[in-house]
Amino acid sequence: MKLPYHRLSLALALSLPAIAAAQAPTELDDVTVTATRTPVSVEASVVPVQVIDRSQIDHSQANSLQELLRGRAGVDFTNQGGTGKITSLFLRGSNSNQVLVLVDGVRLGSATTGMAALQDLPVDQIERVEIVRGPRSSLYGSEAIGGVIQIFTRSAGKGLQQNLSVTAGSNNLRQASAGFSNRGERGWVSAQGAYQKTDGINACNGSSLLFQGCYVEEPDRDGYRNTSINVRGGYALTDTLDLEGHVLSANSFNEYDGSVFGGNEADNRQQVYGGKLSWGPSETVHITAQVGRNVDQADNYFASNGSRRFASAFDTRRDTASLQGDFLLAEGQQLTAGADWQNDKVTSSTAYDVNDRDNTGVFAEYQGQFGAHSLQASVRNDDNEQFGNNTTGSLGYGFAFGNGFRLTASAGTGFKAPTFNDLYYPGFSNPDLEPEESKSLNVGISQYADNWNWTFNAYETRIDQLIGYDSSFALVNVAEARIRGAELTGFMSLAGFEFNAQASFTDARDHTSGGATYDNWLARRARTSGRLDVDKSFGPLRLGITAAGSGHRYDNAANTLRLAGYGTVDLRVEYAINGAWSLQAKAANVFDREYETIAWYNQPGREYQLTLRYRSAN
């Protein structure tokens, strides 16, 4: 039995007016640091934000970051054939390389492609995810056109805590995770290890004769394996000086459908290192110095008849350092100022004319509260040794009506620096490319109460100097885009039921003057998407359902290849054996819906899984 997309969309639309924001309020969810680089409550933010905490991650029984974020407001994905395959995230219709991804404050992403390997970030290592929708280049620099997603790895709560989970499921899924944390009077430490392996599905129905999809016929299962470890720790050196450090390393093996030229197996590595020194000599001054490194390695091979042949290697290293000062000028008046430094370096089997570049950014931000009025303003200048200076800014305003109502408005500019592939890939690049630039406007209204809340945001983004090919197939800054959209989110707790609903409308169009594809939809973006989570506890038993859907999209810029919309339904069951042990079960895509987010690339059908979970009491 298949669930028609229009029926799922109608159910989501009817549920939203009666319920309302994307997560139930908890102590951890109330605060976000990504939107302003300082702690701000979700309700007080002048730009749209969302927080997903560890409790929600556990209850969702998600096995990947894509599964955790699918259907959420403003978020859309494409995936090349299931778990561990290349996954692109479109935030508010922007390109996947126009979304900044941070892990514990460290920039993540490949310097060659500009994309973060989201498929290789294990969910078991995540404490919470913060999503900021809309430009934040005025605080973070390049890439933050569509927004920022920051992933915080597991930290330490109070005292000694341990956790363990073991999962088995369809397609020979095997998962295990274990860790501990301890927080004392002055120091804390946490460590987490995780393992995931699946035989996968046949990723691609490509054809070498028809030159479609992955351009090969390999009707086999494409497996995936990921082994990761995360260690974090901190110590209060004095009453005013704190030191923290963290390491995340995820090593994966991925099978995909490919040829001798591009390979069909990959050994990938994502590593994030960071250290932070925080000094708070008084209640009015707080200084933070932070350093970080992200290593993104992708080594590709072609495997056939038991042998393995090297195909290519694209390894990048990104080093960052920042100094930030937060100054309380008066009650409700804060000034933040700082500087960032970044160095990108490429080591590859492909020879790039330039393989190293530096970027220095300076920024300042003001946040003010005047009774029912709130104001946020920021400005930043980035000086890049390849393309010079770029200045961005943002301005946000909020007004509290009373009765929990709040009106917000914000405007901001953003930019994305050309990647090393754009500038220096042999035969397919242009070293004279300039950054892509954007202008955005957002208007929102929300209402927060004890047991329910809702938010509505409407926006427009215009992106100029998009990098694309001209009629001679030369890479140039000629393309333009106009993106308009709206997002509605809601939460309600009623009679023991918890309802979380989200819906998005994204009209992302090519606005290149005189272009053959003018006013066409941007490729691979769906106009409509949504998600509905309903949970109910009956003593130790918790039942849940997740319905997520997406409208149709076009796989090409010419809008001639249409991919149908789809809807999936997941059923979740959880039983608390005692205060520490629980048993979980999930049936995903219960109606066995067949769909594609990229033409010729399959997505998993109906799947089952069973999880035994342990978490010690605080």
Side-chain angles (χ1 to χ4, degrees):
M1 177 181 179
K2 303 295 194 299
L3 181 67
Y5 169 73
H6 67 269
R7 192 176 303 169
L8 175 63
S9 299
L10 179 61
L12 288 168
L14 291 176
S15 68
L16 280 165
I19 62 179
Q23 66 282 329
T26 69
E27 181 179 353
L28 186 60
D29 285 345
D30 283 342
V31 175
T32 174
V33 299
T34 308
T36 60
R37 296 183 67 141
T38 59
V40 174
S41 69
V42 170
E43 295 91 334
S45 175
V46 298
V47 295
V49 297
Q50 180 178 3
V51 179
I52 306 168
D53 67 13
R54 186 65 227 178
S55 176
Q56 292 173 288
I57 296 172
D58 285 342
H59 289 317
S60 75
Q61 301 186 46
N63 293 323
S64 66
L65 189 60
Q66 175 188 353
E67 186 179 351
L68 178 67
L69 299 183
R70 63 174 180 164
R72 299 186 187 271
V75 177
D76 196 8
F77 284 99
T78 60
N79 171 266
Q80 294 185 5
T83 303
K85 305 306 177 276
I86 294 176
T87 299
S88 299
L89 183 150
F90 305 107
L91 188 56
R92 287 194 161 184
S94 61
N95 285 330
S96 54
N97 58 10
Q98 294 170 339
V99 180
L100 176 62
V101 179
L102 304 171
V103 174
D104 295 323
V106 178
R107 300 176 75 99
L108 192 75
S110 165
T112 53
T113 67
M115 293 173 54
L118 300 175
Q119 68 275 2
D120 289 329
L121 296 180
V123 171
D124 280 329
Q125 301 289 7
I126 298 174
E127 184 68 30
R128 76 181 193 274
V129 180
E130 296 185 3
I131 305 170
V132 183
R133 304 191 298 273
R136 293 284 87 188
S137 287
S138 60
L139 292 175
Y140 295 101
S142 177
E143 297 157 33
I145 287 179
V148 181
I149 293 179
Q150 180 155 202
I151 297 161
F152 294 89
T153 57
R154 289 199 177 189
S155 184
K158 297 179 181 179
L160 178 63
Q161 299 181 12
Q162 303 99 26
N163 69 83
L164 169 71
S165 69
V166 179
T167 300
S170 301
N171 298 315
N172 204 17
L173 173 68
R174 291 142 286 173
Q175 289 184 169
S177 173
F180 78 94
S181 66
N182 193 14
R183 184 178 291 272
E185 184 177 347
R186 300 191 70 87
W188 62 272
V189 64
S190 70
Q192 189 81 23
Y195 175 82
Q196 181 184 51
K197 185 176 182 180
T198 176
D199 291 348
I201 62 174
N202 180 32
C204 179
N205 290 323
S207 171
S208 58
L209 295 176
L210 300 178
F211 204 65
Q212 293 173 331
C214 46
Y215 313 126
V216 296
E217 294 88 0
E218 285 191 277
D220 60 343
R221 286 180 177 267
D222 296 295
Y224 177 73
R225 183 180 67 246
N226 188 303
T227 304
S228 63
I229 186 170
N230 177 60
V231 179
R232 299 187 64 185
Y235 191 79
L237 301 174
T238 69
D239 291 340
T240 62
L241 191 63
D242 294 332
L243 180 64
E244 297 181 21
H246 59 90
V247 175
L248 170 65
S249 179
N251 298 293
S252 69
F253 166 75
N254 181 41
E255 296 176 333
Y256 56 97
D257 292 330
S259 68
V260 65
F261 304 103
N264 58 12
E265 291 183 355
D267 293 330
N268 300 320
R269 174 175 294 180
Q270 287 291 321
Q271 293 180 329
V272 180
Y273 307 90
K276 181 168 66 175
L277 186 65
S278 301
W279 180 49
S282 69
E283 294 183 355
T284 60
V285 176
H286 188 265
I287 308 295
T288 303
Q290 187 168 0
V291 295
R293 168 174 289 183
N294 170 223
V295 176
D296 182 299
Q297 296 181 346
D299 298 332
N300 303 293
Y301 301 86
F302 181 74
S304 178
N305 299 323
S307 64
R308 202 182 196 208
R309 171 183 170 186
F310 176 79
S312 63
F314 294 92
D315 304 337
T316 69
R317 188 192 71 198
R318 174 169 287 172
D319 292 324
T320 54
S322 67
L323 181 65
Q324 177 175 319
D326 304 314
F327 308 96
L328 187 63
L329 306 178
E331 185 66 26
Q333 315 292 312
Q334 179 172 288
L335 176 66
T336 297
D340 294 329
W341 171 83
Q342 176 178 321
N343 173 262
D344 291 336
K345 187 175 182 63
V346 176
T347 303
S348 171
S349 57
T350 299
Y352 288 79
D353 291 339
V354 175
N355 59 12
D356 184 280
R357 70 178 178 190
D358 290 332
N359 186 94
T360 303
V362 293
F363 62 91
E365 176 189 39
Y366 170 79
Q367 298 177 71
Q369 189 71 40
F370 307 91
H373 305 270
S374 55
L375 181 67
Q376 184 267 342
S378 56
V379 64
R380 177 183 173 108
N381 179 263
D382 285 271
D383 183 11
N384 190 287
E385 69 171 315
Q386 288 181 325
F387 51 80
N389 286 274
N390 197 290
T391 301
T392 51
S394 69
L395 182 65
Y397 170 78
F399 176 71
F401 289 74
N403 296 322
F405 280 101
R406 192 161 186 263
L407 177 69
T408 58
S410 60
T413 59
F415 82 100
K416 185 198 77 79
T419 67
F420 279 84
N421 280 358
D422 294 332
L423 294 164
Y424 304 117
Y425 193 87
F428 300 93
S429 60
N430 180 355
D432 296 323
L433 290 172
E434 296 293 328
E436 299 174 341
E437 298 180 346
S438 71
K439 297 178 181 178
S440 298
L441 177 67
N442 186 94
V443 178
I445 187 169
S446 62
Q447 186 179 22
Y448 285 84
D450 290 338
N451 297 316
W452 55 269
N453 51 67
W454 61 269
T455 69
F456 174 79
N457 285 275
Y459 64 90
E460 178 175 294
T461 298
R462 292 182 179 268
I463 308 176
D464 298 324
Q465 297 193 141
L466 279 169
I467 297 171
Y469 291 96
D470 63 13
S471 58
S472 303
F473 298 101
L475 209 57
V476 291
N477 292 99
V478 294
E480 300 175 3
R482 189 212 65 198
I483 307 171
R484 291 174 176 167
E487 300 147 354
L488 181 61
T489 69
F491 165 78
M492 173 175 276
S493 178
L494 178 65
F497 285 88
E498 291 183 357
F499 300 88
N500 285 273
Q502 306 172 63
S504 303
F505 172 79
T506 307
D507 185 24
R509 294 184 181 269
D510 184 337
H511 261 228
T512 305
S513 300
T517 57
Y518 180 82
D519 210 37
N520 282 9
W521 292 15
L522 295 183
R524 297 179 177 172
R525 277 80 152 177
R527 294 186 75 181
T528 57
S529 62
R531 176 182 178 127
L532 174 63
D533 295 279
V534 182
D535 290 85
K536 167 70 172 177
S537 294
F538 302 88
L541 183 66
R542 181 184 177 100
L543 303 179
I545 182 171
T546 297
S550 176
H552 74 273
R553 68 189 72 201
Y554 293 100
D555 195 63
N556 57 352
N559 287 187
T560 56
L561 182 53
R562 186 182 188 271
L563 301 181
Y566 64 91
T568 62
V569 175
D570 300 344
L571 300 180
R572 296 174 279 108
V573 181
E574 184 174 346
Y575 181 75
I577 302 171
N578 54 40
W581 290 92
S582 63
L583 188 65
Q584 297 177 317
K586 183 176 73 170
N589 193 5
V590 294
F591 298 113
D592 201 23
R593 182 76 161 107
E594 295 180 4
Y595 65 98
E596 297 173 340
T597 58
I598 302 176
W600 310 103
Y601 285 89
N602 300 317
Q603 290 299 303
R606 185 187 299 114
E607 295 181 310
Y608 304 95
Q609 70 180 50
L610 184 67
T611 301
L612 179 64
R613 192 177 297 278
Y614 169 81
R615 184 164 186 151
S616 62
N618 292 342

